[in-house]
Amino acid sequence: MATIRVHLEGDGAAAADRSYDVVCGRGVVAEVGPAVAAGGTRRAVVVADESIARTHARRVQESLGALGIDAPLLTVPSGETSKSAAAAERLWNEFAGMAVDRRTHVVAVGGGVVGDLAGFVASTFARGLPVWHVPTTLVAQVDSAIGGKTGINLSGGKNLVGTFWQPRGVFADIDTLDTLPGREFISGLAEVVKYGMIVDSAFFSWLEAHAGPLAGRDPTAVGTAVERSAATKAEVVSRDEFETSGQRAALNYGHTFAHAYETLAGYGTLLHGEAVAIGMARAARLASLCGRIPPDVVERQDALLHALGLPTAAPQAVRDVDALLAVMARDKKSVGGRLRFVLPSRIGQVDLVDDVPEQLVRQVLATAEAPPKE
Amino acid sequence: MATIRVHLEGDGAAAADRSYDVVCGRGVVAEVGPAVAAGGTRRAVVVADESIARTHARRVQESLGALGIDAPLLTVPSGETSKSAAAAERLWNEFAGMAVDRRTHVVAVGGGVVGDLAGFVASTFARGLPVWHVPTTLVAQVDSAIGGKTGINLSGGKNLVGTFWQPRGVFADIDTLDTLPGREFISGLAEVVKYGMIVDSAFFSWLEAHAGPLAGRDPTAVGTAVERSAATKAEVVSRDEFETSGQRAALNYGHTFAHAYETLAGYGTLLHGEAVAIGMARAARLASLCGRIPPDVVERQDALLHALGLPTAAPQAVRDVDALLAVMARDKKSVGGRLRFVLPSRIGQVDLVDDVPEQLVRQVLATAEAPPKE
């Protein structure tokens, strides 16, 4: 069990220190009850993905119940389509019907969809309820559950609506990954590769050396990858909570492309991590075209992504360059309509690059490469 | 023209000082453009009540346009029913369609409904856009536009969904009140009386002495009332931004009752200020029954409310005691299901009182007094 601290400054509220812990390891679901109880409440609402309602969510309820915390369960249908205004409104009404008040804590159990949705609902119900995250997918454990970003999608774009709302704590239980379908697990490895690319070249090398065990879901390798990724995410968030200094922007490496692919494919068709992998491959090519990195960086990243079973080229159905560019221009990271990208300058470092020539972006979007080598 | 400062601490973001000004006076709508331009943007969205779209909202657009700020207009139907999840979703989608990004400022022009709705939408679009308030009703100028509370209603209760999202500035133009219907203007005076009751006994006496000119909308008297009320609101918010120390709770004097009346009457039937006047009358009676104030405080408050043309008893249609109590138990200010009320201890001071006996609450709800004397 490893405990990683997310350091945050006070916000002028009575509670000056909003720092919190990310607890990683096997069986840490059992720690949820004691932590929430120490937070001083006797009432919680568990919001969980319906697919794990009877398994991981029930164990969270048991952990809370053992400490006398009443914790009814609300379920959310699996899949990105649950990150909608309609789903948020349904939860708001369910909270109202249960007489949820400001001392009720929300415990989100599931993947990024449930975490983002439940976090958004918690941040906006009664002007803000305390929230705890129990991520049960790899992508949520290494990325979305840490850092306080919440969000829902609009038809015009992913995560266009949301808040910054930090959790009281995060419990990343490696054991919960056992129930994760193979494709979803592999998809989560894209965000793991991202940490190597953006700040941690030693971790990138470790990933190259352990791609086999990771893709094979070896618990020791997975535990190390989760812990190291969570630590990097926590460090970046601690330095730039509200994405104002530019440091947090590094986490969006590959994501401007990825959001465009996801929007065009229709949410849920392409898994988020798959879109991120394709997006990082595009971003590396763009950096290479801009003369920021030599071709071998593109190749090493491609090779690692392929070794982990991840794609680097978009499916034929989402290669409409004009449509992709139109979505990118609407991306909330765009400023004044200009195209901005997070691009690598080497393995382990990225920069936010403004005013990238549209022609080069078109070129990397249009490239129809051979599918990953076997 | 008077400028009142709302002092706020930093929130850990790059901009450490989130303090802002409330500018009160005649013709201050013309100051909006220069202020927003000084904020460094070239793009804004004006969200306005449809009833003032061609008048006050147009002047705001002109003020922005004169400084080269493109400021398209989005309108919201008049009335409390616009404080809905559906209305928020419509604005989110309109923002997305206009490619609103993080450098776009939102300017809310209208009463409390538009301010609360536009503030909520601004706080949640792209995880937060800068917002400016141009309140054009009395209740918005003295209360809702100051302090950063945003909100929408659910069928289960008023303002159950919302955020704390401070504006960059507030422009309370007394001239805009000229278009306000008589009943709405009078309704706004309830919040003005509230400031006298909760912290400012000298102001309460001033109101007693100027009830005639105020009810008659004398510009000098109205200007003084707005300025003094805004200053009190700003001071309370500066001391307790997130309603954590209990000081801000004083502003809810009369409001637990008021929200229950509004919920039962159906939003829009009873004006907010009317509900607050009835709520303050109930709260004073409750304080008297609890032995916290002598009967003459109840009488002085009743007399002032009547002199201003405000009611002190609920309409027959909303006197279902069980239904009112059920709504109060769901109120977001309730904690663990107990009934909490802000009750006066004298004119100019209130306290947050926990565990008020339900029987006494029933008694003040059930009282069917004679209607206000002519």
Side-chain angles (χ1 to χ4, degrees):
Chain A
M1 194 167 109
T3 299
I4 295 151
R5 190 83 172 157
V6 181
H7 296 279
L8 301 171
E9 291 171 41
D11 62 356
D17 189 355
R18 298 174 301 121
S19 301
Y20 59 91
D21 288 331
V22 180
V23 182
C24 301
R26 304 189 68 163
V28 299
V29 153
E31 307 298 320
V32 175
V36 175
T41 192
R42 292 172 61 183
R43 187 147 188 248
V45 178
V46 175
V47 179
D49 187 298
E50 62 181 10
S51 71
I52 47 93
R54 287 158 184 275
T55 53
H56 311 317
R58 184 157 295 170
R59 276 197 287 282
V60 169
Q61 283 182 292
E62 284 164 2
S63 166
L64 291 160
L67 282 134
I69 298 171
D70 180 38
L73 175 72
L74 295 175
T75 60
V76 171
S78 301
E80 188 81 17
T81 48
S82 281
K83 278 182 61 172
S84 65
E89 192 178 359
R90 188 174 63 82
L91 285 176
W92 284 333
N93 281 312
E94 285 175 332
F95 279 21
M98 294 160 70
V100 160
D101 67 24
R102 285 185 182 168
R103 287 203 196 165
T104 309
H105 289 217
V106 177
V107 183
V109 187
V113 167
V114 164
D116 287 3
L117 172 67
F120 177 65
V121 168
S123 72
T124 50
F125 193 85
R127 299 201 183 91
L129 305 174
V131 66
W132 303 79
H133 287 299
V134 185
T136 62
T137 66
L138 184 55
V139 69
Q141 291 189 353
V142 301
D143 183 22
S144 60
I146 306 165
K149 279 195 180 180
T150 79
I152 58 175
N153 303 324
L154 298 178
S155 58
K158 220 171 121 70
N159 293 321
L160 277 181
V161 171
T163 52
F164 286 102
W165 193 248
Q166 297 293 341
R168 295 291 179 96
V170 179
F171 298 87
D173 190 334
I174 312 297
D175 288 342
T176 64
L177 301 179
D178 292 349
T179 53
L180 204 59
R183 188 178 159 201
E184 278 195 46
F185 178 84
I186 296 299
S187 164
L189 291 173
E191 300 283 1
V192 174
V193 171
K194 185 185 76 177
Y195 295 113
M197 282 299 296
I198 67 173
V199 289
D200 193 348
S201 63
F203 183 47
F204 191 92
S205 300
W206 182 90
L207 290 170
E208 290 178 313
H210 296 81
L214 271 174
R217 304 170 77 147
D218 171 72
T220 308
V222 172
T224 302
V226 167
E227 208 179 296
R228 198 135 163 193
S229 299
T232 298
K233 175 80 187 253
E235 198 184 323
V236 174
V237 169
S238 297
R239 285 201 303 255
D240 184 18
E241 180 181 359
F242 297 105
E243 210 161 22
T244 42
S245 77
Q247 292 188 75
R248 189 162 179 162
L251 298 169
N252 290 322
Y253 175 52
H255 282 62
T256 299
F257 286 106
H259 288 174
Y261 287 124
E262 288 178 282
T263 302
L264 240 66
Y267 300 135
T269 310
L270 206 57
L271 293 181
H272 179 64
E274 292 168 350
V276 169
I278 300 164
M280 293 192 295
R282 296 303 103 190
R285 280 159 180 75
L286 186 55
S288 176
L289 284 177
C290 293
R292 303 180 66 87
I293 51 170
D296 76 284
V297 171
V298 181
E299 286 155 22
R300 266 183 79 188
Q301 183 185 266
D302 272 13
L304 177 56
L305 292 170
H306 294 164
L308 294 168
L310 286 159
T312 56
Q316 197 62 51
V318 288
R319 287 198 190 154
D320 181 334
V321 174
D322 290 324
L324 290 165
L325 274 169
V327 178
M328 286 183 196
R330 279 205 302 271
D331 192 286
K332 68 187 174 307
K333 288 177 288 293
S334 80
V335 169
R338 288 176 307 170
L339 289 165
R340 305 172 91 191
F341 291 92
V342 176
L343 299 181
S345 48
R346 59 170 173 81
I347 285 172
Q349 191 180 301
V350 289
D351 299 301
L352 186 59
V353 183
D354 241 323
D355 270 334
V356 175
E358 186 182 307
Q359 189 209 327
L360 299 184
V361 181
R362 287 184 172 274
Q363 199 171 328
V364 302
L365 286 172
T367 317
E369 296 144 295
K373 294 170 207 147
E374 295 304 313
Chain B
M1 194 168 109
T3 299
I4 295 151
R5 189 83 172 157
V6 181
H7 296 279
L8 300 171
E9 290 172 42
D11 63 355
D17 189 356
R18 298 174 302 120
S19 301
Y20 60 92
D21 288 331
V22 181
V23 182
C24 301
R26 304 189 68 164
V28 299
V29 154
E31 308 298 320
V32 175
V36 175
T41 192
R42 293 173 60 183
R43 189 150 186 245
V45 178
V46 175
V47 180
D49 187 298
E50 62 181 12
S51 70
I52 47 95
R54 286 157 183 273
T55 53
H56 312 317
R58 183 156 296 169
R59 276 197 286 281
V60 169
Q61 283 183 291
E62 284 164 2
S63 166
L64 291 160
L67 283 134
I69 297 170
D70 180 38
L73 174 72
L74 296 175
T75 60
V76 171
S78 301
E80 188 81 18
T81 47
S82 280
K83 278 182 62 173
S84 65
E89 191 178 359
R90 187 174 64 83
L91 285 176
W92 284 332
N93 281 314
E94 285 175 333
F95 280 21
M98 294 160 71
V100 161
D101 68 24
R102 286 185 182 168
R103 287 204 196 165
T104 308
H105 289 218
V106 177
V107 183
V109 186
V113 167
V114 163
D116 287 4
L117 172 67
F120 177 65
V121 168
S123 72
T124 50
F125 192 85
R127 298 200 184 91
L129 305 174
V131 67
W132 302 78
H133 287 300
V134 185
T136 62
T137 66
L138 184 55
V139 68
Q141 291 189 353
V142 301
D143 183 22
S144 60
I146 306 164
K149 280 196 181 181
T150 81
I152 58 174
N153 304 322
L154 298 177
S155 58
K158 219 171 120 71
N159 293 321
L160 277 181
V161 171
T163 52
F164 286 102
W165 192 248
Q166 297 294 340
R168 293 292 179 95
V170 179
F171 299 88
D173 190 333
I174 311 298
D175 288 342
T176 64
L177 301 179
D178 291 348
T179 53
L180 203 60
R183 187 177 160 200
E184 278 195 46
F185 178 83
I186 296 299
S187 163
L189 292 172
E191 300 282 2
V192 174
V193 171
K194 185 185 76 177
Y195 295 114
M197 282 299 295
I198 67 173
V199 289
D200 193 347
S201 63
F203 184 46
F204 191 92
S205 301
W206 183 90
L207 290 170
E208 289 178 315
H210 296 78
L214 272 175
R217 304 170 78 148
D218 171 72
T220 309
V222 172
T224 303
V226 167
E227 209 178 295
R228 199 135 163 191
S229 298
T232 298
K233 176 78 188 255
E235 199 184 323
V236 174
V237 169
S238 297
R239 285 200 302 255
D240 184 18
E241 180 181 358
F242 297 105
E243 211 161 21
T244 41
S245 78
Q247 292 188 74
R248 189 161 179 162
L251 298 170
N252 290 322
Y253 174 52
H255 281 62
T256 299
F257 286 108
H259 287 174
Y261 287 125
E262 288 179 281
T263 302
L264 240 67
Y267 299 137
T269 310
L270 208 55
L271 293 180
H272 178 64
E274 293 168 350
V276 169
I278 301 165
M280 292 193 296
R282 297 303 104 192
R285 280 158 180 74
L286 186 55
S288 176
L289 284 177
C290 293
R292 302 179 68 86
I293 51 169
D296 77 284
V297 172
V298 181
E299 286 156 21
R300 267 183 80 188
Q301 184 185 265
D302 273 12
L304 177 56
L305 292 171
H306 293 164
L308 294 168
L310 286 160
T312 55
Q316 198 60 51
V318 288
R319 287 198 190 154
D320 180 335
V321 174
D322 290 324
L324 290 166
L325 274 169
V327 178
M328 287 183 195
R330 278 205 303 270
D331 192 285
K332 68 189 173 308
K333 288 176 287 293
S334 80
V335 168
R338 288 175 308 169
L339 289 166
R340 306 172 92 191
F341 290 93
V342 176
L343 299 181
S345 48
R346 60 171 173 80
I347 286 171
Q349 190 180 303
V350 289
D351 299 301
L352 185 58
V353 183
D354 243 322
D355 270 335
V356 175
E358 185 181 308
Q359 188 212 325
L360 300 183
V361 181
R362 287 184 172 274
Q363 199 172 325
V364 302
L365 286 172
T367 317
E369 296 144 296
K373 293 170 210 148
E374 295 303 314

